[in-house]
Amino acid sequence: MAYTFSHLDHLESEAIFVIREVAAQFQKPMLLFSGGKDSMLILHLAWKAFYPARIPFPIVHVDTGHNFEETIEYRNRMADKYEVNLVVGYVQDSIDSGKVEEETGINSSRNWLQSVTLLDTIEEHKFDCALGGGRRDEEKARAKERFFSHRNEFGEWDPKNQRPELWNLFNGRKNYGEHFRVFPISNWTEMDVWQYIKREEIDLPSIYFNHKRRVFNRDGVWLAESPFNPMKPTEVAVEKEVRFRTIGDISCTGAIESKVNNIDDIIAEVASFRVTERAGRHDDKRSDTSMEDRKKEGYF
Amino acid sequence: MDLLRFVTAGSVDDGKSTLIGRLLFDTKTIFKDQLEAVEHTSKVRGEDFVNLALLTDGLRSEREQGITIDVAYRYFATPKRKFILADSPGHVQYTRNMITGASNASLSLILVDARNGVLEQTRRHTFISALLGIKHLIVCINKMDLVDFNQDIYQKIKEDYRAFSSKIDVPDIRFIPLSAKEGDNVVRRSEKMDWYQGPTLLYALENTYVESDYERVNCRFPVQYVLRPMKEAFHDYRGYAGRVAGGIFKKGDEVVVLPSGFKSRIKSIENVGKEVDQVFPPMSASIQLENDIDISRGDMIVKEFSQPNMNQDIDIMLCWFTETPLAIGSKFIIKHTTREVKAILKDVRYKVDINTLHRIQDDKHIGLNDIGRVHLRTSSPLIFDTYKKNKITGSVILIDEKNNYTVAAGMIL
């Protein structure tokens, strides 16, 4: 046997080490689950990290109410398959209780409101750590993120005052009321994620693959026709063969025109992409530092 | 495909960010929307050319000041290798960031501005790389376009560098003349430097043989978490989960558990969900033993005839990370493998001049970014190797109990 290790084995081993570190260092951790491929990957890695024991923490979904139906069905199915408890935080509850005001008009989105609901859910359940699927290759502010990322009692990130992180020694110590965000797949790229999904035969929501959908074009992004996406009078919905490259709230996730319907072709397509994954995310286009600003406030 | 983790160090004007931007750009890792954003910002700022440095400076304050203040990680791949690059700031006030970036790297890129030659910071970056146990250095003599691609200048820098680096313990040092801005010898061979016959930077990165950074002889398995399934089907299952830190563990091996000293035999090994015959670093695994003994997080599974040190008194080479100077008698939480104990600082043996690597015996003042050899006493024994022997079982961090901040990194001597 050769003592060699592929890059995927490396990344897997590192992620599992980080996930086990979370279970060991925190009292009440949870896994943020959006139904997208990255959070699904963490769920799968967590299952491997604790097998044959069950995953020792619940999954939490922050539900904007503006979902793709397929995502909700998938979320429930995965919670059953991986034998984990599911906790749902509703953005609608945050709106009803007057904690946030809903944006109105064109380009309105509940995406920014998720931060408030997430922090409320963390407080209500006394979670002290949220595992998430953030990757450093996604966006330039995320490239500076630690594996163990401290959040103060307001849930805020202080990018200029992050704890140095050396070797594989993760410092998860904190005061009461503070929490951590932990990113086990920090070092994975989009391509690594797809290659691993193929290797492990991980189930994905159907909307990652080719389907027919009525969409309209706004600022170069194809958005789904939906009651949650009010259209300008000049915009027209057309039926197209599309798929989604990332999955978020319906109001900010752009589709791409694609006939791809299996993982191999997705990998080939990813290899040929000339724009980043987040180029299809309407929420990132608001400004150059949009992600950094949202992260400081507690966004994932 | 294998994986190379490397670190780049360079100061504000060495063109480090430009070099990384060039590597990403020429390996086609830059996407259209990222490039458009950079072109736009360059234009707004009135710069004459597309400033590739803007690709790596992620935080608002970094882009405003045009400097890199935190470690940023970059990912790219060629058909030969996958790369993880820790882009770290090189200024003396960011020594801690460079140490952070270098802690997981097996190769270090040192940038030298061809116009300035070897400077204090060049020596500093070299010493830090050596201190962190990095075995491969590539010295990039950058901005050759600004010295007319002159071979004599390159030779002079190479000799100056060799003169001081003979003192340090790095087996593999190479030199490449290049221009990050123009792209000469980065990915594409330069047409303006016929006198240089060596590899381009990318070729060197792809082909440097990085012998395993892991210790494959002395067996070390720090227990991270105990798996008790509480399921009917796995009634008596008790698995010790962790990541192999040294050696090769095989089914049937006789082992010793520290600190208790109990002996047992490996009943089964699981490597993330499937049973295997053996595991080695850096695999995450879980091990079942034949005897039911009390083992918890922080214990270490080893073999009888190659045991690590077990001691409450340790000497470490320490880098100090915060504004308040280190004081003799102060207490910390020390984090070592999966173990956390208390420690008290007993003595500062000497301070290291990070620019010359001289030991300063009569200066015991350790302030922000200073490096020195110190003596610690811990509340219970650490189970360790020297950093030179094993990076995983030889490294520690110190945490200030008052504010939970990571205040120091240390390498056990």
Side-chain angles (χ1 to χ4, degrees):
Chain A
M1 180 179 174
Y3 298 107
T4 55
F5 216 41
S6 79
H7 74 287
L8 286 181
D9 294 329
H10 242 282
L11 295 170
E12 177 190 64
S13 172
E14 175 181 81
I16 283 173
F17 179 82
V18 172
I19 293 169
R20 286 171 172 169
E21 228 18 51
V22 165
Q25 289 196 35
F26 296 96
Q27 304 286 326
K28 213 176 167 195
M30 57 91 154
L31 161 57
L32 267 176
F33 190 80
S34 67
K37 68 180 188 311
D38 296 319
S39 58
M40 183 54 227
L41 180 58
I42 312 267
L43 180 59
H44 183 80
L45 288 164
W47 177 76
K48 283 188 139 192
F50 301 106
Y51 180 85
R54 288 198 181 90
I55 297 171
F57 41 76
I59 61 173
V60 171
H61 179 224
V62 176
D63 185 345
T64 61
H66 296 176
N67 300 297
F68 294 102
E69 276 172 37
E70 294 88 342
T71 311
I72 299 299
E73 179 276 326
Y74 173 76
R75 175 195 77 189
N76 298 338
R77 190 155 49 83
M78 288 304 114
D80 284 347
K81 179 175 170 185
Y82 286 89
E83 302 181 332
V84 284
N85 290 324
L86 169 68
V87 173
V88 184
Y90 295 97
V91 171
Q92 189 63 50
D93 290 350
S94 305
I95 295 169
D96 294 346
S97 66
K99 287 201 169 164
V100 292
E101 262 183 53
E102 185 147 30
E103 295 183 333
T104 51
I106 300 296
N107 275 346
S108 66
S109 165
R110 287 184 165 185
N111 191 51
W112 287 64
L113 310 183
Q114 286 183 82
S115 304
V116 175
T117 310
L118 170 59
L119 292 176
D120 282 351
T121 311
I122 287 173
E123 214 167 290
E124 186 192 332
H125 294 267
K126 305 261 181 296
F127 290 125
D128 58 357
C129 175
L131 280 157
R135 304 193 323 266
R136 287 171 178 158
D137 87 320
E138 272 182 279
E139 206 276 337
K140 52 189 180 285
R142 281 196 168 155
K144 307 256 160 166
E145 187 62 272
R146 304 290 188 262
F147 275 90
F148 272 49
S149 184
H150 180 257
R151 294 293 185 274
N152 68 14
E153 59 201 301
F154 300 100
E156 293 167 334
W157 181 54
D158 181 1
K160 278 188 176 170
N161 199 23
Q162 299 193 76
R163 295 177 184 179
E165 206 163 70
L166 299 103
W167 299 291
N168 56 355
L169 296 168
F170 299 107
N171 175 2
R173 297 182 70 93
K174 56 176 174 21
N175 291 321
Y176 183 76
E178 300 173 345
H179 73 276
F180 269 79
R181 303 283 171 89
V182 174
F183 306 99
I185 58 165
S186 288
N187 279 332
W188 299 50
T189 62
E190 185 183 14
M191 181 57 102
D192 299 327
V193 171
W194 284 112
Q195 287 177 337
Y196 188 78
I197 285 171
K198 174 181 157 68
R199 184 177 104 173
E200 301 285 309
E201 299 177 350
I202 297 172
D203 256 335
L204 286 183
S206 57
I207 58 176
Y208 272 113
F209 302 98
N210 163 274
H211 58 286
K212 286 200 174 76
R213 185 180 290 273
R214 288 180 65 78
V215 291
F216 63 97
N217 197 303
R218 179 175 297 161
D219 303 336
V221 177
W222 289 105
L223 293 172
E225 183 187 47
S226 150
F228 307 125
N229 282 341
M231 286 160 61
K232 296 178 196 169
T234 50
E235 290 168 335
V236 207
V238 286
E239 187 175 274
K240 285 200 170 283
E241 297 225 26
V242 297
R243 70 176 199 88
F244 291 89
R245 199 172 159 197
T246 68
I247 290 179
D249 175 278
I250 202 166
S251 66
C252 63
T253 307
I256 54 170
E257 290 192 70
S258 168
K259 292 199 191 302
V260 165
N261 60 11
N262 63 69
I263 300 273
D264 282 323
D265 290 347
I266 287 184
I267 291 173
E269 198 178 78
V270 168
S272 70
F273 278 136
R274 296 313 309 149
V275 295
T276 62
E277 265 176 296
R278 297 201 74 93
R281 291 295 282 261
H282 220 257
D283 44 335
D284 287 352
K285 295 209 162 178
R286 291 191 174 198
S287 84
D288 196 27
T289 53
S290 173
M291 176 65 92
E292 185 180 341
D293 294 341
R294 271 178 299 161
K295 278 180 69 69
K296 280 183 186 165
E297 283 168 22
Y299 185 77
F300 223 84
Chain B
M1 192 157 56
D2 72 341
L3 180 69
L4 177 73
R5 294 179 192 239
F6 69 106
V7 59
T8 54
S11 264
V12 178
D13 328 303
D14 283 344
K16 175 174 56 82
S17 296
T18 310
L19 177 64
I20 295 167
R22 173 60 64 186
L23 264 179
L24 299 177
F25 185 75
D26 284 2
T27 53
K28 307 202 168 21
T29 314
I30 304 296
F31 291 103
K32 199 168 128 236
D33 53 323
Q34 290 171 318
L35 191 64
E36 280 167 3
V38 167
E39 280 169 351
H40 175 75
T41 312
S42 294
K43 206 181 281 173
V44 168
R45 293 173 20 154
E47 293 167 340
D48 290 342
F49 54 92
V50 177
N51 187 349
L52 293 175
L54 294 170
L55 286 166
T56 59
D57 293 338
L59 301 176
R60 190 200 302 258
S61 50
E62 291 178 326
R63 262 167 293 150
E64 282 163 3
Q65 298 171 40
I67 56 162
T68 311
I69 55 178
D70 197 353
V71 185
Y73 295 89
R74 302 286 147 195
Y75 304 84
F76 64 100
T78 66
K80 281 204 162 149
R81 225 175 210 177
K82 183 181 153 71
F83 300 93
I84 299 180
L85 182 171
D87 176 13
S88 63
H91 246 223
V92 69
Q93 66 262 41
Y94 302 120
T95 298
R96 61 171 186 177
N97 303 69
M98 182 179 165
I99 288 188
T100 303
S103 71
N104 284 317
S106 8
L107 181 149
S108 180
L109 285 193
I110 311 265
L111 263 85
V112 176
D113 185 327
R115 295 170 303 174
N116 305 329
V118 172
L119 300 175
E120 200 172 86
Q121 66 189 27
T122 316
R123 287 195 288 270
R124 183 168 66 241
H125 301 155
T126 304
F127 291 146
I128 291 175
S129 302
L131 192 66
L132 270 291
I134 294 176
K135 297 189 182 76
H136 307 273
L137 297 186
I138 299 181
V139 183
C140 299
I141 297 159
N142 189 24
K143 305 201 183 178
M144 288 301 291
D145 53 314
L146 300 182
V147 295
D148 295 327
F149 300 99
N150 185 322
Q151 182 179 9
D152 295 340
I153 290 177
Y154 165 76
Q155 285 299 348
K156 170 81 172 54
I157 293 173
K158 197 167 152 179
E159 279 156 31
D160 288 352
Y161 189 95
R162 283 242 166 91
F164 86 87
S165 67
S166 57
K167 286 187 282 190
I168 58 160
D169 181 21
V170 177
D172 175 25
I173 303 180
R174 271 166 298 158
F175 302 85
I176 302 177
L178 51 85
S179 161
K181 195 172 128 220
E182 310 286 333
D184 291 81
N185 285 342
V186 179
V187 170
R188 176 173 59 70
R189 174 158 288 284
S190 174
E191 287 160 11
K192 296 168 188 137
M193 289 180 275
D194 302 340
W195 46 266
Y196 173 75
Q197 298 299 320
T200 61
L201 175 60
L202 185 68
Y203 185 89
L205 289 172
E206 281 182 324
N207 294 286
T208 299
Y209 173 69
V210 185
E211 76 272 47
S212 172
D213 276 354
Y214 300 102
E215 144 82 76
R216 293 279 161 87
V217 179
N218 299 298
C219 293
R220 307 284 182 258
F221 189 85
V223 175
Q224 192 185 3
Y225 191 82
V226 182
L227 296 170
R228 299 294 315 268
M230 310 293 177
K231 287 179 184 171
E232 276 307 316
F234 297 95
H235 205 72
D236 295 321
Y237 188 97
R238 194 182 176 92
Y240 304 105
R243 202 174 184 195
V244 187
I248 297 154
F249 287 89
K250 296 192 172 92
K251 196 172 162 175
D253 279 354
E254 282 189 34
V255 293
V256 178
V257 182
L258 297 177
S260 68
F262 286 127
K263 289 180 190 166
S264 186
R265 196 185 287 274
I266 295 178
K267 183 162 103 186
S268 74
I269 305 175
E270 270 170 27
N271 173 23
V272 287
K274 59 178 189 292
E275 200 167 330
V276 293
D277 290 334
Q278 59 176 11
V279 280
F280 52 86
M283 284 179 173
S284 281
S286 89
I287 290 179
Q288 281 199 90
L289 299 181
E290 283 181 358
N291 306 68
D292 196 8
I293 44 185
D294 181 29
I295 301 178
S296 50
R297 174 172 165 88
D299 291 355
M300 199 184 287
I301 301 175
V302 304
K303 297 218 179 139
E304 190 173 4
F305 299 107
S306 62
Q307 297 206 19
N309 304 305
M310 208 158 71
N311 208 326
Q312 275 176 270
D313 286 285
I314 57 166
D315 264 35
I316 63 171
M317 193 60 88
L318 164 148
C319 177
W320 190 246
F321 290 161
T322 69
E323 306 279 347
T324 327
L326 178 65
I328 289 175
S330 44
K331 292 180 183 135
F332 307 97
I333 306 275
I334 186 165
K335 212 168 163 40
H336 170 253
T337 64
T338 53
R339 196 165 246 260
E340 257 180 45
V341 299
K342 290 195 177 174
I344 183 162
L345 183 86
K346 287 290 195 186
D347 188 25
V348 176
R349 311 273 201 211
Y350 56 79
K351 183 163 143 181
V352 176
D353 181 331
I354 193 62
N355 295 314
T356 62
L357 216 60
H358 286 140
R359 297 171 179 187
I360 319 167
Q361 309 272 5
D362 50 2
D363 184 0
K364 303 206 163 178
H365 177 89
I366 305 271
L368 178 64
N369 292 306
D370 283 344
I371 292 177
R373 176 170 179 160
V374 304
H375 174 67
L376 294 168
R377 181 162 175 88
T378 57
S379 58
S380 59
L382 294 187
I383 306 158
F384 65 93
D385 296 286
T386 60
Y387 185 79
K388 229 181 155 123
K389 274 194 172 166
N390 188 324
K391 282 189 183 183
I392 303 168
T393 54
S395 51
V396 299
I397 56 169
L398 299 185
I399 298 165
D400 185 337
E401 216 176 352
K402 293 190 295 294
N403 54 21
N404 297 321
Y405 200 76
T406 304
V407 291
M411 289 145 278
I412 304 177
L413 296 163

